[in-house]
Amino acid sequence: LKRSLLMTIFPSKDREDVKDKLLYTAKEACMIIFGSDNKQTMNKMYRLLKSGSLEAERVGGTWFIPRKTLVRLHGIDFM
């Protein structure tokens, strides 16, 4: 993949502007959905992911949730 596409999908951590981010990790999505990433909410997030309640893809041991899924959940674009 081209570097610009990779930066859109996975912006660097030091980049403040992540509004163009297309995929979120389970931890990031947990913060967006529940406002916390403590053990209890992360367990809830993984249950949602494993049950298929949230559209997501697993690559190796990492879950990626598309931005459109989080936008659909909130009804508005949150960024």
Side-chain angles (χ1 to χ4, degrees):
L1 292 171
K2 291 186 176 185
R3 181 167 172 73
S4 61
L5 179 59
L6 286 173
M7 289 305 293
T8 300
I9 297 172
F10 305 106
S12 64
K13 298 228 184 263
D14 59 343
R15 197 174 140 194
E16 290 182 21
D17 180 28
V18 294
K19 67 180 182 177
D20 295 329
K21 192 169 183 179
L22 298 176
L23 296 173
Y24 293 84
T25 63
K27 186 173 185 170
E28 292 168 333
C30 191
M31 286 295 296
I32 292 167
I33 294 171
F34 302 115
S36 171
D37 62 351
N38 62 32
K39 187 175 180 177
Q40 182 179 4
T41 56
M42 285 302 296
N43 285 338
K44 189 183 295 188
M45 173 60 74
Y46 287 123
R47 281 195 305 272
L48 289 170
L49 292 168
K50 289 177 183 176
S51 71
S53 297
L54 287 178
E55 178 187 341
E57 291 293 325
R58 189 171 183 180
V59 179
T62 305
W63 285 96
F64 292 102
I65 299 92
R67 178 189 182 106
K68 67 179 182 177
T69 299
L70 299 175
V71 170
R72 188 172 54 239
L73 202 76
H74 283 277
I76 57 170
D77 199 348
F78 49 87
M79 291 293 184

